Amino acid sequence: MGGISILWVDDEIDLLKPHILFLEKKGYSVTKCNNGADAIDLCEENNYDIVFLDENMPGLSGLQTLTEIKSKKGNLPIVMITKSEEEYIMEDAIGNKIADYLIKPVNPNQILLSLKKNLDHSRLISEKTTSNYQQEFRKISMDLAMVNSFEEWVDVYKKLVYWELELEDISDSGMVEILESQKQEANSLFFKFIKKNYQDWIQNPENAPILSNSLFKKVILPEVKKSKGTLVVIIDNLRYDQFNIFEKSINKFYKKQEEISYFSILPTATQYARNSIFSGLMPLEMEQKHPKLWRNDPDEGGKNLFEEEFLQAQLSRLGENLKTEYIKITNLKAGKQLSDNFNSIKQNDLTVIVYNFVDMLSHAKTEMEVIKELASDDKAYRSLTNSWFINSPLFEMIQKAQSLGLKLILTTDHGTINSKVPTKVIGDKNISSNLRYKTGKSLTYEEKEVFAVKNPKDIMLPSLHMNSSFIFTKEDYFFAYPNNYNHFVKYYRNTYQHGGISLEEMIIPCAIFAPK
């Protein structure tokens, strides 16, 4: 602490001698100054840690001095001290990014508290966060030993995401490693839970959480019918941690009314999960009822080309006659164009926007070295997606939707996981290409590392052949072929994949917001 230097600027600095002695006894170094012009010069010549600045001084006022110092040293914390409680002075000072605001007469403990708040802030938060997580760690460990329902799994996962975000900025890397191992343990147990319960969920929907195929009917449609205009945004491939960060920006314009955590169907891949949201059907039912719209893995062409048709068919089946518009955004130009013409949607009862950027980013991490650098781990991946979101046409649209008074529902089709552990698989040449699930005939695999479904119809998935099966990887595993194994593993390890079974891929948010 002896290294902390303070500049104290006050035209009656001599009257503050007891305060300065108090600080010096605590080990702080204090430079005294009695006018704004000298204070500006001193700040240029020295590297102070913090400045205490009187507002009411002859010559340059405190606010003028503040502006000058900030123009030269923007990151230097400045604490404003004033006799006046006039609102405009506070507003001006706060607008100029002061670190704190004290009203005379100040006592030494107020000064000390302000110093701790501004200079020890990160350390104090870091220590408090660490000790809080240490207590919570034991509670989560006990929860993991007992968890036995999908509701409990949602609670555990949301706690883990909360602590992941809380620990993100602390300097104790040991704590982050402990959290990582706890997430790993949770995913291992979650895999066993899904293996045991998933087939029952599909065959007995009354025992199931809200799944992709029931999301529209159970959650979205009732909200659309309640209000005049609703905007539904489906961001492809969005995880809970990314959603929680986006929400901070959305909260400036919208107030969250409800958050539903729902489960993606298996495979947790766009062609299955998102088609299921729009059709309100499981993949096997889509193949049977809409053979012209459904595409299986080996089929040529895009697998999500008929979402609008699936949505209209579902609305028709439910007997709903809503003015509906479906828009898919896959590039910046289309996003900007929609944002520029956004007012045209205000006549709709329901507007659905599918936004594809996050999915493209996760694929780019596999293929582009620069994205591998920028999204090297979950923290960096979150930061990159948040930077995209706050600068995107999508965020502009959300702001415009608020000014049009539209309700907002934000959701996704599945999440994603950073895949680190290879598991070998062998199959014929028509085996599907996804790294987190495989379908085809004559599959050979490591039984302990997958959830194998010999008869796809048991979980309402189409069979490609008489003896086709589906296999899904667990935790952060990914499938690799034995030939050219090392090259393949090196290329795909530490890339974001989806299609398998993990908390990150399966438990996903659907949030309902009302405009502020």
Side-chain angles (χ1 to χ4, degrees):
M1 184 155 44
I4 290 176
S5 62
I6 301 164
L7 175 65
W8 199 323
V9 190
D10 193 307
D11 60 313
E12 296 175 326
I13 195 76
D14 293 337
L15 299 178
L16 297 167
K17 199 169 183 181
H19 294 63
I20 290 165
L21 283 171
F22 171 80
L23 289 176
E24 286 175 343
K25 276 184 183 162
K26 293 277 180 190
Y28 295 95
S29 156
V30 185
T31 301
K32 295 177 285 189
C33 176
N34 64 8
N35 67 83
D38 287 349
I40 294 160
D41 292 341
L42 282 166
C43 283
E44 276 200 82
E45 292 159 16
N46 302 281
N47 286 321
Y48 297 108
D49 293 295
I50 193 164
V51 177
F52 287 111
L53 179 60
D54 183 33
E55 201 305 293
N56 191 13
M57 296 188 294
L60 281 181
S61 73
L63 282 175
Q64 289 169 317
T65 307
L66 169 70
T67 306
E68 280 295 312
I69 293 173
K70 278 287 181 188
S71 71
K72 294 178 170 67
K73 294 205 169 173
N75 293 324
L76 176 61
I78 297 177
V79 177
M80 208 72 181
I81 303 175
T82 177
K83 287 175 185 165
S84 168
E85 290 187 46
E86 284 188 47
E87 207 171 308
Y88 82 93
I89 294 179
M90 289 190 188
E91 283 176 359
D92 277 0
I94 290 161
N96 280 296
K97 296 196 170 72
I98 55 161
D100 206 354
Y101 193 94
L102 302 175
I103 293 166
K104 287 185 175 180
V106 289
N107 67 48
N109 282 323
Q110 274 178 292
I111 297 290
L112 197 59
L113 186 63
S114 187
L115 284 167
K116 284 199 176 296
K117 206 157 64 177
N118 287 292
L119 300 178
D120 284 358
H121 185 254
S122 328
R123 180 183 62 78
L124 292 171
I125 283 183
S126 181
E127 285 174 4
K128 182 77 176 145
T129 303
T130 300
S131 73
N132 286 351
Y133 173 61
Q134 283 169 334
Q135 289 171 16
E136 189 73 2
F137 171 80
R138 289 185 281 277
K139 189 174 181 314
I140 293 172
S141 294
M142 284 160 62
D143 288 348
L144 281 174
M146 315 275 286
V147 65
N148 199 29
S149 69
F150 62 77
E151 295 95 340
E152 288 167 341
W153 270 116
V154 167
D155 289 344
V156 165
Y157 178 49
K158 286 172 83 169
K159 272 183 199 165
L160 288 168
V161 170
Y162 170 80
W163 283 108
E164 188 172 14
L165 297 177
E166 285 292 296
L167 295 173
E168 187 172 85
D169 297 320
I170 72 160
S171 50
D172 187 344
S173 60
M175 277 294 115
V176 177
E177 284 168 24
I178 290 168
L179 178 71
E180 280 302 315
S181 67
Q182 197 162 48
K183 269 172 63 185
Q184 195 78 34
E185 184 196 354
N187 259 327
S188 177
L189 293 166
F190 180 69
F191 172 73
K192 289 173 185 161
F193 173 79
I194 292 297
K195 209 169 171 176
K196 184 179 167 189
N197 293 285
Y198 187 75
Q199 187 172 317
D200 180 53
W201 288 356
I202 302 305
Q203 294 180 357
N204 301 292
E206 66 280 4
N207 300 336
I210 292 169
L211 293 166
S212 310
N213 63 315
S214 55
L215 180 73
F216 188 84
K217 182 181 175 182
K218 288 185 177 175
V219 178
I220 296 174
L221 188 58
E223 290 298 329
V224 174
K225 289 164 81 170
K226 271 187 219 168
S227 45
K228 194 168 179 304
T230 302
L231 172 65
V232 174
V233 177
I234 299 176
I235 303 178
D236 191 4
N237 200 6
L238 190 74
R239 275 198 327 218
Y240 238 114
D241 57 337
Q242 294 164 316
F243 164 76
N244 285 357
I245 291 198
F246 289 2
E247 195 189 328
K248 289 174 187 170
S249 301
I250 294 169
N251 284 344
K252 294 171 192 164
F253 305 94
Y254 274 90
K255 184 178 182 191
K256 186 164 73 177
Q257 291 183 309
E258 194 179 356
E259 183 186 303
I260 293 103
S261 301
Y262 84 98
F263 282 63
S264 169
I265 61 162
L266 294 176
T268 48
T270 306
Q271 93 195 61
Y272 292 90
R274 206 166 72 210
N275 275 328
S276 185
I277 293 171
F278 282 111
S279 66
L281 302 169
M282 290 297 290
L284 180 61
E285 296 171 306
M286 285 184 255
E287 185 190 49
Q288 290 166 345
K289 291 185 180 181
H290 303 286
K292 290 182 178 170
L293 305 182
W294 173 254
R295 295 281 183 275
N296 277 315
D297 275 85
D299 294 343
E300 291 294 312
K303 307 290 192 282
N304 287 76
L305 298 178
F306 302 106
E307 290 169 347
E308 186 171 7
E309 289 84 345
F310 275 134
L311 176 60
Q312 292 301 343
Q314 178 173 193
L315 285 167
S316 170
R317 202 170 63 246
L318 296 170
E320 297 295 342
N321 184 22
L322 299 168
K323 184 168 167 44
T324 305
E325 188 175 358
Y326 163 94
I327 306 153
K328 188 172 183 176
I329 303 293
T330 54
N331 58 53
L332 181 64
K333 187 181 174 190
K336 281 189 178 302
Q337 210 170 341
L338 177 56
S339 180
D340 291 345
N341 303 308
F342 199 73
N343 279 15
S344 65
I345 75 158
K346 67 181 173 190
Q347 307 308 322
N348 300 337
D349 299 312
L350 167 65
T351 306
V352 180
I353 298 175
V354 170
Y355 220 100
N356 251 21
F357 180 83
V358 180
D359 188 54
M360 295 190 307
L361 184 65
S362 73
H363 290 300
K365 178 171 159 50
T366 306
E367 291 145 22
M368 294 171 65
E369 286 301 321
V370 66
I371 304 292
K372 280 182 184 172
E373 289 279 331
L374 287 169
S376 58
D377 58 20
D378 284 353
K379 179 181 173 182
Y381 185 50
R382 268 195 299 278
S383 173
L384 193 58
T385 47
N386 189 46
S387 176
W388 159 73
F389 179 69
I390 58 178
N391 296 293
S392 68
L394 175 58
F395 190 41
E396 282 174 26
M397 290 179 224
I398 287 170
Q399 293 170 49
K400 288 178 179 178
Q402 181 251 349
S403 64
L404 293 174
L406 300 180
K407 178 181 281 184
L408 171 67
I409 300 177
L410 183 71
T411 189
T412 183
D413 47 5
H414 55 77
T416 187
I417 189 161
N418 200 358
S419 302
K420 294 174 183 170
V421 185
T423 179
K424 286 184 179 169
V425 66
I426 302 169
D428 69 11
K429 66 180 189 315
N430 293 321
I431 188 173
S432 58
S433 60
N434 187 292
L435 298 192
R436 293 275 294 157
Y437 79 89
K438 296 286 178 194
T439 182
K441 55 184 179 182
S442 314
L443 295 172
T444 307
Y445 46 83
E446 300 286 340
E447 293 218 9
K448 286 183 181 170
E449 292 168 1
V450 305
F451 171 33
V453 181
K454 297 278 198 300
N455 180 6
K457 288 184 172 58
D458 290 343
I459 58 168
M460 298 293 278
L461 292 176
S463 295
L464 301 183
H465 311 282
M466 278 287 287
N467 55 354
S468 277
S469 58
F470 270 84
I471 51 173
F472 307 94
T473 50
K474 67 175 187 173
E475 299 161 31
D476 55 0
Y477 284 60
F478 63 97
F479 286 121
Y481 303 110
N483 46 347
N484 218 358
Y485 180 79
N486 290 337
H487 171 75
F488 191 89
V489 166
K490 190 178 172 193
Y491 188 75
Y492 286 106
R493 180 178 270 139
N494 198 32
T495 63
Y496 285 97
Q497 303 294 336
H498 52 269
I501 298 170
S502 67
L503 292 157
E504 289 89 336
E505 290 160 290
M506 281 192 87
I507 300 181
I508 43 178
C510 178
I512 297 148
F513 296 90
K516 280 188 172 175

